[in-house]
Structures are given as structure tokens and as C-alpha cells.
Amino acid sequence: MSKTILITGAGSGFGKGAAIGMAKNGHKIIATTQVSSQVTPLREEVARLGLRNFRVERLDLTDHFDIAQAQSWDFDVLWNNAGMGEAGPVWEIPVELVRKNFEVNVFLPLTLTQGVARRWIDQGKKGKVVFTSSMGGLFTPANWGTYVSTKHALESIAEALQQELAAYGIKIQTINPGAYYTGYNETMADNPMRWLDDKKNITRRADLRKGFDDFFATPEGKMDPQEMIDRMIEVVPSDSGKFRNVMPKKIEDMLRTHQLQAWENTI
């Protein structure tokens, strides 16, 4: 059955790819972008593709007028996909950047979701909310702690929402991508270079950069995102499936092993 799906962060990467794929499968898409300049190019692209069931709007989550407008639209699925990431050592990163990362990845999607859930409850509508989490929502690698802590928080919020909204027929789901090559993780690795200072900080810029580059040079650090996009096209509109959806399978297996080993972790 065709669904109407609102997507945040659909201007590029996973959100854009999956939005186009779901539209091709017959779903009605409201694709939103944070940046105004992304709206017209995406409208022109979907027009060239002949996707008349694809609407593009600006939705800057930091603008409460944008959030209020989005909460008034009619849709069956809310996919909270927008996000950003701050990397670098947790013990040296400016706390204001940690706070900003939580604002964008946790507080603002929660604000949008609260309004949508309340509207659906008032209407008696049985909708679905999907959160783009991360493999980092389930483990904590060094120097990615700020970003993954927001995803840990998102995991907890999603689990709570699932229990709290089940009585109203509202379903909750997470998607946990591995380190696919969309440019998102690569940009995140650049971010600490704007504040990390060899004259002030203990962590050396070159050492941190090398650590990131070494990871991106591995097969697990540069995976083809089409695999994840194809899975998102299946998961987001579906009325059934797992609460948590980790991709690829080898990352899911790694996370299961990691969580078991955590019980034996010592100081």
C-alpha cells in the first residue's frame, strides 16, 4: 500500500537516494532539506525523473517555524534522517560543540516527533516514526565519542517511544548504517581540524588525521552506500520488520560480539 513519507535530511546521501527509490516504488514523498539552495535542484532532478509523487520542501530543524509547518502536513511515516557529527577526543572537544551535536541529532528530531505523535494520537492515526541512528549507537570507538553519544541517546529515546506509543498504534524503528561512503563520515573527520590546535591541545592534529584516514582506507571504512539505500527503501515504508536494522550483516555481527565482550571489559 502506498504511503506518504516525510523525510528530513533528504538533500543528499542516504535520504535523497532512498527518497527517490521509494517514490519509484509508488510512495508519496515529502523530501525536506535543511539548506534552501538544495530545494530547487532536487525539484528539478525529480521532475526530470518524472516523479510527480515527489514533493520537496525546506525544513531547517533549527527554525521552529519550519518545524511547526512540517507538523501540520499529512503523512503516514516520519523518517528522522537529518543529522550532523562532531569528532575528536571527548576529553578535549569544546563542550559547546557537544551541546550543538545533541541539539541537532537528539533534541530537534524529538521536538518534531513529539508534535507529530500528538497530532496522530488526536486524529486516531496509526503512523510510524523511523530514526536514522548509526552503528555508533551501539558501540563507542575512540575519537568518535561525541557523535556516537548522540546516537546512543537516540537509541534510548526510540526504545522509550516504542513502549510509550504502542498503545496508540504508532510504530517506532531505527536504522543503523555502518560507515558507508556518502561523504558524511569524511566530513565529520574534518570537523575537529577547525578547533584542534597543536599549541593548545595535547592531541596532535596529524595523529588524529592519520587515525581517521587509516580507518577510511579499510574496506569497512568505505562501503558502497547503495546497499544501505536499497535496504532503507524496504524498511522505511514497511508495516513490519525489526525495531533495529543494522547494515551490513558483518557490522551487525561485530556489534553483537562487542556487546557480549563489554560484560568482561576491565579498567
Side-chain angles (χ1 to χ4, degrees):
M1 186 177 74
S2 174
K3 302 281 180 60
T4 301
I5 303 167
L6 172 66
I7 309 168
T8 67
S12 62
F14 291 141
K16 177 182 173 182
I20 291 173
M22 290 188 289
K24 287 180 176 177
N25 285 347
H27 298 288
K28 296 177 182 176
I29 301 299
I30 307 173
T32 69
T33 74
Q34 179 192 13
V35 183
S36 298
S37 60
Q38 290 180 312
V39 171
T40 299
L42 186 53
R43 284 176 178 166
E44 292 174 347
E45 182 174 349
V46 296
R48 286 194 298 272
L49 293 171
L51 297 173
R52 297 186 177 183
N53 53 339
F54 199 115
R55 170 179 155 197
V56 185
E57 302 285 352
R58 192 193 73 146
L59 172 49
D60 179 352
L61 291 174
T62 65
D63 184 327
H64 69 274
F65 293 106
D66 279 12
I67 287 185
Q69 176 178 246
Q71 288 170 337
S72 72
W73 296 332
D74 289 324
F75 47 88
D76 307 301
V77 179
L78 167 61
W79 180 13
N80 287 298
N81 177 65
M84 54 86 66
E86 293 287 351
V90 168
W91 73 282
E92 291 200 279
I93 189 171
V95 172
E96 64 187 284
L97 296 179
V98 180
R99 188 174 290 114
K100 179 184 177 184
N101 210 160
F102 269 82
E103 183 71 15
V104 173
N105 288 7
V106 181
F107 303 143
L108 293 174
L110 178 59
T111 300
L112 176 62
T113 300
Q114 285 179 337
V116 170
R118 176 55 194 263
R119 186 160 183 256
W120 283 348
I121 290 169
D122 290 344
Q123 295 174 336
K125 186 167 186 169
K126 303 183 188 310
K128 175 180 167 183
V129 181
V130 182
F131 293 94
T132 299
S133 178
S134 166
M135 62 184 287
L138 302 168
F139 86 128
T140 307
N143 295 318
W144 300 92
T146 296
Y147 170 67
V148 303
S149 66
T150 69
K151 296 301 185 180
H152 279 258
L154 207 55
E155 290 284 326
S156 295
I157 285 172
E159 283 195 37
L161 288 172
Q162 184 190 35
Q163 298 167 70
E164 295 166 359
L165 295 175
Y168 303 98
I170 298 173
K171 297 178 179 177
I172 307 294
Q173 196 168 33
T174 72
I175 297 176
N176 302 64
Y180 289 95
Y181 186 50
T182 64
Y184 185 87
N185 296 313
E186 293 72 16
T187 301
M188 198 186 333
D190 291 340
N191 282 343
M193 302 305 158
R194 74 192 199 280
W195 57 263
L196 196 60
D197 185 342
D198 285 348
K199 295 178 181 177
K200 299 178 182 177
N201 298 106
I202 301 298
T203 302
R204 301 289 90 183
R205 290 168 56 93
D207 293 342
L208 186 66
R209 181 80 259 177
K210 184 178 185 306
F212 291 147
D213 289 345
D214 287 348
F215 170 67
F216 292 136
T218 67
E220 290 76 19
K222 205 169 188 175
M223 297 182 290
D224 182 353
Q226 192 58 50
E227 175 186 48
M228 186 72 250
I229 290 171
D230 290 344
R231 182 69 180 132
M232 289 170 160
I233 292 170
E234 295 175 3
V235 168
V236 173
S238 179
D239 288 325
S240 60
K242 292 182 177 179
F243 166 76
R244 178 173 292 134
N245 297 272
V246 178
M247 283 287 289
K249 181 65 166 57
K250 61 183 177 183
I251 296 297
E252 180 178 335
D253 293 341
M254 181 276 286
L255 293 172
R256 288 176 184 272
T257 300
H258 171 80
Q259 290 179 336
L260 286 174
Q261 292 173 342
W263 290 97
E264 307 302 326
N265 195 9
T266 57
I267 60 173

